[in-house]
């Protein structure tokens, strides 16, 4: 009777082959991510990815039969390597104002680290459907984050809707980037945006930016 056991040499060859395939797969994925972060998805061609990865196009297609497969791999790989802040950590903070302060500090720090990639991909999401799909998980995360930060606040009805919109604006990458490119650091950016949210919540007294009307003494009119 013939043994069905694979000979040790063949086992080694199969293992080596699998390792090489995995290494090539990762190299192609990382090459695409690098191009997305430098020139953007809309300007990234498969030929450029193959060249950056040091493989032929037929090898690229063997690993990623479609461009959608490559985009999906890039998205999952990038967000796994650059995870956004944990919402459970925020939920553990009972006070809404402290929760917001923690959230903005952590999320804006995340944006600082990932600015080149997010700038390119969010820009090209307006042009490339696959780029739009790639950032869909981030948008879903930010929606859930806004819900988390709305929890525990007293606003109701239309005011609560306004509050949630203000929070969604506060969490958006373009909001942070607009402040950052105007020379506003993370701490001040969080302070300004917190003021916006607290104003939307109707709690101006506890807003970090107290805005009061200047007092102009009334000059006496001319004597009659």
């Amino acid at each position: 009777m013939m043994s069905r056991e694979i000979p040790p040499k063949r086992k080694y060859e199969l293992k080596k082959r699998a390792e090489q395939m995995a290494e090539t797969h990762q190299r192609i994925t990382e090459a695409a991510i690098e191009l997305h972060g430098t020139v953007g998805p809309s300007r990234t061609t498969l030929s450029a990815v193959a060249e950056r990865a040091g493989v032929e196009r037929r090898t690229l297609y063997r690993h990623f039969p479609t461009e959608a497969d490559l985009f999906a791999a890039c998205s999952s790989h990038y967000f796994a390597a650059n995870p956004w802040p944990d919402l459970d950590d925020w939920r553990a903070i009972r006070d809404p104002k402290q929760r917001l302060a923690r959230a903005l500090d952590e999320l804006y720090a995340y944006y600082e680290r990932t600015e080149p990639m997010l700038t390119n991909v969010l820009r090209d999401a307006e042009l490339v459907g696959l780029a739009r799909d790639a950032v869909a998980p981030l948008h879903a995360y930010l929606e859930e984050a806004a819900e988390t930060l709305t929890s525990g606040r007293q606003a109701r009805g239309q005011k609560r809707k306004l509050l949630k919109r203000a929070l969604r604006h506060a969490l958006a990458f373009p909001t942070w980037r607009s402040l950052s490119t105007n020379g506003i650091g993370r701490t001040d950016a969080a302070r300004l945006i917190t003021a916006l949210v607290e104003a939307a919540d109707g709690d101006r007294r506890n807003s970090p930016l107290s805005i009061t009307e200047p007092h102009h003494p009334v000059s006496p009119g001319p004597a009659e």
Side-chain angles (χ1 to χ4, degrees):
M1 176 181 286
M2 295 182 60
S3 173
R4 295 183 179 180
E5 186 176 345
I6 301 176
K9 182 179 179 181
R10 179 59 176 160
K11 283 184 178 179
Y12 172 79
E13 291 172 348
L14 291 172
K15 181 181 179 182
K16 193 69 175 176
R17 174 64 175 166
E19 289 174 351
Q20 290 172 345
M21 289 286 288
E23 191 274 334
T24 301
H25 189 95
Q26 181 168 332
R27 197 163 73 245
I28 294 171
T29 301
E30 291 177 348
I33 289 173
E34 186 176 347
L35 288 167
H36 289 170
T38 52
V39 302
S42 67
R43 299 176 184 175
T44 297
T45 65
L46 293 178
S47 295
V49 173
E51 182 179 354
R52 181 68 60 95
V55 301
E56 296 181 357
R57 282 193 59 159
R58 63 182 180 182
T59 301
L60 186 151
Y61 283 122
R62 190 158 57 243
H63 286 266
F64 302 100
T66 69
E67 195 171 3
D69 294 325
L70 181 56
F71 261 91
C74 289
S75 179
S76 60
H77 184 87
Y78 184 81
F79 286 129
N82 299 275
W84 38 67
D86 191 340
L87 294 181
D88 286 337
D89 290 343
W90 299 356
R91 293 186 183 107
I93 302 172
R94 297 187 63 182
D95 182 82
K97 295 181 181 65
Q98 292 179 9
R99 189 189 313 137
L100 177 62
R102 167 81 171 270
L104 292 177
D105 182 67
E106 291 185 354
L107 187 62
Y108 288 177
Y110 176 79
Y111 286 157
E112 287 177 355
R113 295 192 302 271
T114 58
E115 179 181 10
M117 176 64 75
L118 291 182
T119 296
N120 285 338
V121 176
L122 290 171
R123 178 200 67 208
D124 289 358
E126 302 297 323
L127 307 170
V128 182
L130 291 174
R132 187 164 54 250
D133 294 340
V135 294
L138 175 61
H139 290 312
Y141 165 81
L142 292 175
E143 286 293 334
E144 187 176 358
E147 288 285 356
T148 297
L149 297 175
T150 304
S151 176
R153 291 182 175 267
Q154 300 302 311
R156 295 292 180 267
Q158 290 300 318
K159 183 181 284 189
R160 194 170 186 84
K161 289 181 181 179
L162 176 63
L163 171 62
K164 187 174 178 185
R165 291 191 188 111
L167 282 165
R168 187 63 182 82
H169 178 72
L171 299 175
F173 175 78
T175 299
W176 167 81
R177 191 167 187 273
S178 175
L179 294 168
S180 177
T181 54
N182 280 286
I184 300 175
R186 189 203 317 167
T187 300
D188 286 337
R191 181 168 167 264
L192 287 167
I193 294 301
T194 297
L196 169 70
V197 172
E198 298 304 341
D201 195 23
D203 191 1
R204 294 181 182 175
R205 292 174 304 169
N206 292 322
S207 170
L209 290 182
S210 171
I211 302 174
T212 58
E213 292 293 330
H215 176 68
H216 299 293
V218 179
S219 299
E224 295 183 0

